[in-house]
Amino acid sequence: MAFLFRSSSVDESAKMDAASAHQIRTPEEAVSRIAYLASDVVVSVQPSLATDSPFSSHLKRYAGRKDQSLVAQNASSVPEIISVRQNNDPLLSVFSPIRSGKLVSVTTNSSILLPSVSHLYKLAQYPVVLHVSLEPKNFADYSVITSIRNTGWTFLQSETLQEAQDMALTAHALAVRTGKGVVHFFAPETSAEDKAIPAENTTVVRDVLDIDAVRRFQSGSIHASGIYADDGHVAVSSIYPEPVVGQSQTEKSGGLTPVPAESKATSAMTSVKTSRASESGDSEASVSVATTVETAPPQITSADIYDAATRIWVQLQASVGRSYSAFEYTGPADATNALFIFGSDVGSFAAVLDNAKNEDIFAKAAVITPRLYRPWIGSKLVNAIPKSIKRIAVLEQIHRKTTKWGPLLIDVLTSVKSGPGGVEHIVGYQLGYVDPQVITQALRGIFQNLTSEKPIQNLEVGVRDAPTQEIQDANQAPKLETAYNKILDQLFGNRRYVANALRSEHAGISANVAASPEFGFGSLLARKQLRNRFISEAKAAASSKEFTTDGPKNFLARWAMNAEDPAKAGEIADDVIARLETDGSPLAQKLLRNKGLFRKESLWLTGSDAWAYDLGNSGVHHVLASGENVNMLIIDSTPYSEKAAADAERRKKDIGLYAMNFGNAYVASTAVYSSYTQVLQALLEADKFDGPSVVLAYLPYFGEGDSPLTVLQETKKAVDAGYWPLYRWNPDNEKKGEPNFSLDSELIKQELKNFLKRDNQLTQLMQKEPKFASSLAQDFGTEVRAQQKRKAKDAYNQLLEGLLGAPLTILYASDNGNAASLAKRLGNRGRARGLKTTVMAMEDYPVEDLSSEENIVFLTSVAGQGEFPQNGLAFWDAIKDSTDLDLASVSFSVFGLGDSHYWPRKEDKIYYNKPGKDLFRLLTNLGGKVLADIGLGDDQDPDAYHTAYNEWEPKIWAALGVDKVEGLPEEPPPITNEDIKLASNYLRGTIVEGLNDPSTGAISAADQQLTKFHGTYMQDDRDVRDERKAQGLEPAYSFMIRCRLPGGVATPKQWVQMDDISNELGNETMKLTTRQTFQFHGVVKGKLKPAMQAINRSLMTTIAACGDVNRNVMCSSLPTQSSYHREVYAVSAKISDHLLPSTNAYHEIWLTDDDNKKTQVAGEAVQDFEPLYGPTYLPRKFKITIAIPPHNDTDVYAHDIGLIAIKGADGHLEGFNILAGGGMGATHNNKKTYPQTGRMFGYCAAEDAHIACEKIMLVQRDHGDRKNRKHARLKYTIDDMTVDVFRAKVEDLWGKKFAPAKPFKFESNVDTFGWQKDENGLNHFTFFIENGRIEDTPEFQMKTGLREIAKVLKGEFRLTGNQHLIMSNVADEDLPALQALMKQYKLDNVQFSGLRLSSSACVAFPTCGLAMAESERYLPVLIGKLEDCLEANGLRQDSIVMRMTGCPNGCARPWLAEVAFVGKAYGAYNMYLGGGYHGQRLNKLYRSSIKEDEILEIMKPLLKRYALEREEGERFGDFCVRTGVIKATTDGTNFHEGVAEEESDEE
Ligand code: SF4
């Protein structure tokens, strides 16, 4: 007898096939592989997205290798793996793909089955396969399977590793052939000891799967319908195909086709077999209870399923030699006793029976197991049992029994008729955990009862509970979720009581239950009751005589009176506790046991969005309905960008709306990564509200590896698009006559809008916040967008009607505006030639019109790695794979704009003008006629892209026959910045009109140039740019405001004022810039003027903070010599004032209110005069700085004018060495542009400094290049003129000469962190402010902390040129208070690596419009990845100057860093090495366009080498030069020479 055959036999051919193949070791691996091969989509259920399941690691491996599935329709596509958290209603993810004709399988443990019953009923009618590993791992509970046996699914069981592979395959083949869902279940422990098996040969898998049937299924799709009601879908198998009117016979016989819901009636009519109860047990055609669905008779019967399974097994046997049947009988043919086992011990029992001796009571017994558990075909069981069997023990491994008789016992009893001549006794047992040591004993017990005269039913075998194992699959909260818990902690401290935090310990309660709202609510109620009892006890104690001291009584009495007031109770609590502790009596000790209850706790339930799925029945409902004062914090982690794909069918209910509808609850919707202060506000309001509160908190979550940047970007998109609006709803407001609803973001979704409309809240809101009116009124969506496109096109056509001439459609895709303006000019020129021209962005063009065009030309530039610019992407996506577009009657041409030097590596040259070339090729392939050959504009040509364009355009006119048109109108020259300045009436332009235009958040292009002079730039949030475009919305425009703060010195009062401005008018953050000033971001147009006024009220200004004027004048911050600093700083202020523009426009536009202005302007233009600048100001921006040796913290070489302070013998400022012509801006690959260091002009006395600066500026004003802005900075003027000539002009104008420069010495250009004392005994502390960003995060409340410090500081703040902050002039006696605050807010920490402390990054994404790559948000991450290496090489304390900018404009002065990264494209940087440590030498290009992995690959060995080979005191930049890693740049003019990676010119 060989019971164990199941785990071993493999036939020879399979062995040969598998010889070279991978060995499979676990049933989960076997199942995952088959599921992957046989599915279009695999839903992988995981404990958390960060924790793999035993299946998911394999699935990810296959997907990572891009392994093909056997059922993929497209050779290049690989199955989609959808990872879903197990407590996140995973089966919802099945509906959408299965209805669209995709084969879906699910890999999961059994914990999800019971909560998914409602889905199981509906999914039974689709060919879905569920592979289920039974839990718990060491003692599986089969009751989960018996509980769902009536859901209409087919159930297959496997017990060994080999069977797991074979049954997995059977399950997929059966699902496809029968059109019905199949559950394949197994207890992994049963195969724990099995040897590895070869992976099934894919030919066998393909044959068994029946790819033809697969294709027929895939070619159909089912109309989407709800999942909360029966959608009427009926399974259709290849055995009984659905007749479809008009379908040919051959098509009909094809079989498995998804059937739309509407065809339900037809399906019912064509049902060819009626259902009969399985109990009859004697008919092959019977339909089991399991497969009967009351509402719609199934198309397919139990017998059909059985037949299909049998055929599959016959096929399997033929190819691999293993045989299977619906009921497996193993044992002697003449056995009299049998075990019918439904549990995980089959193998162990079989092994004991195998080795039984004749005298054993269980000798010669057989084992029967169900392989096809549902449909249960009684007759097949009867056939499987030899006539000799008289007694059957039915062993069911069911942990919780709900009925008297086990379900298996009933199945066997109803199938196998007992009685004389047949089976005499069928006896049920409940199979508990049987220790392997006692199997024989257990068997003996079973057989003793079975063979007794009157066997007892329902005996328990083994013990109920298996030895406990660590449960690894418990739900896990994403680490990021701790953000909100930290805030709760911050706000409520020891008053916080969270009832059901994930991972909290609740003895005897499973993690799932403990995390449920019901459980939490119950425990909060218990907590409240406990406290009420405690209050009574305290009251009683107040008049008790049991205390040993008098202290407690009074305080207890006072406390009891105020116990319900959180603030007062909290205040008295400390006193009461102290008194009780001193008292020490037993009564005091008793009260102290619950001392937490002396505080009025803030009671919180925390949970996830999974609570939304069955909202009506859930604990959320109970809490709301109870009216209890309980707060819920519900975290929603569905990423915005995934919601459409993953949640199409989820119908997650909106908890916020649900709660607001209740009317009695406080509701808030928040997102910590969008508005930190709004979260604080909401949590405080919720705590205060006397009733239930629901705070919804958004925290998009992809996986534990998410970088904060991803979370931030996702949050912004969700909030900005209205998917996750920020709002607060407080029913108490009504009593105060205020609207209940406050909207804290700008867009809301339709459902919310409807709710508010119904409640009349929308009107109130609009009245209160008119700025919202326009965004609230607009809807968005793809249909709207489509209609807009159509309308735009029709309007154009109407316009053109009546015009003669041939039509010419011009479409453009433009990244930086060049292609767009070229297209528009082409359109104008065409029109002048009598053509009917239409010009549009590709994204606005309705693609369906393409084949009806007569003439069409495309102009496109290049984005990213050879991709279409954003406004051409959708168009390209729509046509690129098209095979049915017929362009035979369309004439076309393409002009591309690119840069042949952009990609230095030879292999990347293909990206040059790729979109244009791709488009041209495609249009040719689609049969289009070439109007003119493709034109390829190249930035490297003498006239840039114009060179090729000027050849291409005439060819278009010639091809259209309009090249000889006479009398063309003269074209106006393009408008330049110089024109704008000139026409602006001293910087007024139409700024006022633009500010007053409520229809857009933007201002005109010309005004955008002018507002720079006023210290503000228009920007748009690039994180949400694409999303808004897709929604048909204008970009999220806002303004950056930069203050003018000479020398970077601000009073504490000013600091608080700046902080207020950022909170109330900006985006809740401030940036301390590399020019020592405050910068605000995210100021929307409507708040721009109030923000400017607030800045001026704080005695700062913004005038000339940007623009073609002298900007903020910098000065070393010098904490150690305050008196000397004061003298030098005074000069920086003097220069700044002296060079200020004089226009009244600033005052007029920003600082006068509307009434004033009417009086002031009074109908006549204001006459302005700019004595220094004249009407066109300077050719380009102009920057001045002062450095005080030995500190070069302001990078004196990087500016148009750099003043080096020279101290006299008396210790006072004597004068300055003056450098001129430094500058950072450059353009990638444009060798005519370069960074430059300032050249020494000589020395001048301190009192002359502002005049010397003025004269240098004036020579630049008159000699700078006003034609080419890329060549307009002073550095080019001086290089073109030579230093001597330029200096002579300055001296002429000045009437004085520069004296020879005086000696000086710089030592570093970084800040010194921590405390320092100055010569007057005052203290200074330099804070490390990473990249100058002042903000609060849940982890670090830096902004609040600095504000608190500013409130008490008596000294001043100094902003440093490295974007850090110094708290200055602190007297010794004030130190303790400030140090306490610093400690409280963790602001005293300066223990960072030397690299981090010496780093600096510009703003870049998301606000800077010029950014090509991340900078401020990425540099800290990159440094984090290098710090281990620094540590390992003993470099942690070494200062290495590393800088990063998002583009070559160079705002963070990257070219002077020892190592720098300058953005090239998103995620790609040019790397520079060899800068001088104290900013004296420019660096040089080392590598182009490298990504993080390459950066790390270069940096790590280089740092190691530096650690090992450096000379005493040698700096990193010098080391790179000395060792030949890079050549030294001795002057800006040789910056491009001898670079490490020469750019190749080859195509
Ligand atoms: S360096 Fe470039 S990306 Fe960075 S802030 Fe300046 S302009 Fe923007």
Side-chain angles (χ1 to χ4, degrees), residues 1402-1404 1408 1410-1411 1445-1447 1449-1451:
C1402 73
V1403 179
C1408 177
L1410 300 174
T1445 57
C1447 83
N1449 237 7
C1451 295

Side-chain angles (χ1 to χ4, degrees), residues 1017 1019 1022 1042 1071 1079 1081 1181 1401-1405 1407-1416 1444-1454 1462-1463:
Y1017 271 79
Q1019 305 183 317
R1022 297 178 67 183
R1042 189 181 292 155
K1071 169 100 176 170
Q1079 201 161 287
H1081 292 271
K1181 59 185 165 190
C1402 73
V1403 179
F1405 278 91
T1407 46
C1408 177
L1410 300 174
M1412 299 169 177
E1414 293 283 354
S1415 179
E1416 180 191 310
M1444 178 176 274
T1445 57
C1447 83
N1449 237 7
C1451 295
R1453 304 187 283 272
V1462 177

Side-chain angles (χ1 to χ4, degrees), residues 531 534-535 537-544 547 549-564 568-583 588 591-592 597-599:
R531 189 163 190 274
F534 185 72
I535 298 174
E537 281 172 29
K539 271 186 191 153
S543 52
S544 140
F547 291 116
T549 57
D550 285 339
K553 286 195 193 170
N554 271 344
F555 280 97
L556 273 174
R558 253 181 67 210
W559 178 83
M561 297 219 349
N562 293 294
E564 292 300 334
K568 286 190 184 149
E571 270 170 34
I572 311 170
D574 291 335
D575 287 328
V576 182
I577 293 169
R579 299 302 184 289
L580 289 172
E581 278 168 352
T582 325
D583 188 83
L591 289 169
L592 282 172
L597 294 174
F598 278 117
R599 295 176 209 285

Side-chain angles (χ1 to χ4, degrees), residues 156-158 163-171 184 313 324 371:
L156 286 171
Q157 179 179 205
S158 62
E163 283 176 17
Q165 179 162 278
D166 291 346
M167 284 314 110
L169 177 53
T170 307
H184 163 223
W313 288 330
Y324 295 104
R371 160 109 28 243

Side-chain angles (χ1 to χ4, degrees), residues 57 69 210 444 502 668 673 679 687 719 764 947 1043 1067 1129 1265 1335 1344:
S57 52
S69 114
D210 187 355
R444 212 169 281 139
L502 277 175
Y673 286 94
V679 179
D687 176 57
V719 172
Q764 287 189 41
T947 311
C1043 297
N1067 66 355
Y1129 160 71
D1265 186 345
E1335 64 181 342
T1344 310

